[in-house]
Amino acid sequence: MKPVRQSKPPTTEAAPAVAQPRVVTGRVLRTRSGGISLRLQGRALAVSALMAAVLTVVMGVTLTTGDFELSLGEVLDALFGSGSGAADFIVNTLRMPRLVTALCVGAALAVSGAILQSLTGNSLGSPDIIGFTNGSATGALVVIVVLHGSMTQIALGALVGGLATAAVVYLLMLGGGLQGFRLVVIGIGVSALLLAVNSYLITRASWQEALEAQAWLLGSLGNRLWVHANAIGLAVAVLLPLALLLARRLSMVEMGETTATALGVNVGRTRAALLVVSVALAAFATAVTGPIWFVALAAPQLARRLAGTSGPALLSSALMGAALLALSDLVVQRVFAPALLPVGTATGTIGGLYLIWLLVTESRKSRA
C-alpha cells in the first residue's frame, strides 16, 4: 500500500529581496531636456554658505586694516572708482591684488588636492606630497635661473614641470593602479629627487638669482600685483568649471572601476582628464606664489568632514582653500608685523601639525 502524499497547504513564499535604491538626500535640479542635473545637499550648502561668510569677513578685515586703516565705506568707494587717491592706491594697488591672488591660489590648490585624493582613494594624495608641486617648482626655477623668463614663461615652465612629473609618476605606477600608499611612496621619492634638482639649480645661479629663487621657494604673497592676480584668476576661471563638470564622473570613479564602467563612464579618459586639471591647477598656483604647502592636503578633507558628503565636494573644498590661505596671509601680515613672513611658513606650520595628526589617526585605524 503506497503512502498517501499529503498536499502541503498553500503558502505565500517571500518574494526575493530586491536591492533597495540608494537614498539620495537633497534636491535635484534638472534642465527641461534632462541633459544637465545638479544635486543640492542641505548640509553641503550650509557649509558653503558658512565658508563664503568667513571669506567675506576675512576680505573685509584684510582691506580695511593695516598700517593705513580705512573704513568699509572708503574701501567700497575705492573699489567702485570714487575714492580718494590714497585710498585707491592702498586698496587697488597694494591690498586687492594680493587678496585676489590668495583667494584664487587657495581655491586652486584645494581643488587640485580634492581631485587627487578622490582619484587615489588616499588622504595623503595631494600635489605637495606626491611631488607635483616640486615638479612645478623645478619647471619654474629652470625658467627663472636658466632662461631668465617673464611671468608668462614662468607659468608655462611650472605647468610643463608639473605635467612632466605627473607623467613620470604615472609611468612608475603602471600595473599597480593609483590606489594605496604605493602612490604616496613613489611620489615622495620623486619629490625628493626634484628637491635635489631645485637645490642644484640654486647653486648654479648668480647671487641675486639664488636669493630671488630661494625667496620664491618659500611661498609668498608679498608684492603680488594685478599681473599675478589676473594670471591665476584666468587659470581658475577656466579649470575650476572643468573640474566641477567632471565632478559627477569623479564620484562614479570613486565607486570602483567596474561600477563606473557599468554606469557608462570611460574610466581611463576620466582619470586622465582629471589628472591634467589637477596638475594644471597646482602648477599655475605654484607659478604665481611659489610652493605653498599643505593647503591642498588639509582643505579638501576639512571641507569633506564639515559637509558630510561621500563625494569629492569640490566647491566646498575651493571655498575652504581660499579661506585658509587668505586667513593665513592675514595672520602673517597683521600678527607678525613689521616682520615680512611668507605665507608658506604659516601654512607649513599648520599643515605639519595636521599631517602628524592625520598619520596618527590613519595608523590607529589600520591597527583597529
Side-chain angles (χ1 to χ4, degrees):
M1 185 173 178
K2 295 182 180 180
V4 180
R5 299 179 61 182
Q6 296 179 352
S7 59
K8 296 182 180 179
T11 58
T12 304
E13 295 184 359
V18 178
Q20 296 297 324
R22 183 180 177 183
V23 178
V24 179
T25 60
R27 178 175 296 180
V28 179
L29 302 180
R30 293 187 180 90
T31 58
R32 290 186 176 181
S33 62
I36 300 177
S37 62
L38 177 65
R39 180 163 60 92
L40 303 178
Q41 290 184 321
R43 182 172 172 180
L45 286 176
V47 171
S48 298
L50 176 62
M51 297 312 304
V54 171
L55 274 176
T56 303
V57 173
V58 172
M59 292 171 63
V61 175
T62 300
L63 294 176
T64 55
T65 61
D67 293 336
F68 299 95
E69 294 188 0
L70 299 172
S71 66
L72 186 58
E74 290 175 318
V75 170
L76 293 176
D77 290 340
L79 290 176
F80 287 103
S82 58
S84 62
D88 178 74
F89 176 77
I90 293 171
V91 173
N92 293 316
T93 303
L94 297 181
R95 295 177 182 173
M96 198 64 186
R98 179 168 182 160
L99 177 60
V100 171
T101 303
L103 296 177
C104 293
V105 168
L109 291 175
V111 173
S112 176
I115 292 174
L116 282 178
Q117 289 172 11
S118 181
L119 284 177
T120 60
N122 194 317
S123 55
L124 294 176
S126 67
D128 41 7
I129 299 295
I130 296 177
F132 297 162
T133 300
N134 271 338
S136 299
T138 302
L141 281 179
V142 169
V143 177
I144 294 173
V145 176
V146 179
L147 303 179
H148 313 287
S150 62
M151 178 62 205
T152 303
Q153 293 170 332
I154 293 173
L156 182 60
L159 179 60
V160 172
L163 290 175
T165 305
V168 170
V169 172
Y170 180 78
L171 291 175
L172 293 174
M173 290 292 298
L174 282 179
L178 291 176
Q179 289 79 17
F181 276 93
R182 184 167 179 264
L183 174 62
V184 176
V185 173
I186 290 177
I188 290 174
V190 172
S191 181
L193 291 174
L194 292 171
L195 186 60
V197 172
N198 294 345
S199 300
Y200 172 77
L201 288 173
I202 292 178
T203 61
R204 302 298 296 176
S206 64
W207 178 258
Q208 184 63 31
E209 288 175 340
L211 289 177
E212 293 176 359
Q214 188 61 46
W216 181 83
L217 285 174
L218 293 175
S220 175
L221 289 165
N223 299 322
R224 291 304 180 265
L225 304 176
W226 279 114
V227 62
H228 305 94
N230 291 335
I232 187 60
L234 179 60
V236 170
V238 173
L239 295 172
L240 187 56
L242 289 177
L244 294 176
L245 286 175
L246 293 170
R248 184 169 178 268
R249 295 185 181 182
L250 179 59
S251 299
M252 294 180 183
V253 172
E254 279 189 341
M255 301 178 186
E257 186 170 347
T258 303
T259 304
T261 303
L263 292 173
V265 177
N266 189 318
V267 177
R269 291 182 181 178
T270 299
R271 281 178 173 170
L274 286 165
L275 187 62
V276 170
V277 171
S278 175
V279 173
L281 284 169
F284 279 112
T286 304
V288 170
T289 61
I292 295 181
W293 306 103
F294 295 113
V295 173
L297 174 70
Q301 296 179 46
L302 292 175
R304 202 161 180 168
R305 291 172 187 270
L306 289 176
T309 59
S310 58
L314 297 185
L315 182 58
S316 300
S317 298
L319 293 172
M320 178 66 74
L324 281 178
L325 190 55
L327 182 60
S328 298
D329 189 49
L330 177 62
V331 169
V332 297
Q333 285 187 81
R334 303 293 184 260
V335 175
F336 296 97
L340 301 177
L341 292 179
V343 70
T345 58
T347 60
T349 302
I350 298 173
L353 296 174
Y354 180 80
L355 180 59
I356 293 173
W357 173 84
L358 179 63
L359 291 174
V360 171
T361 303
E362 293 294 329
S363 176
R364 289 177 178 174
K365 286 183 180 178
S366 62
R367 281 182 287 181

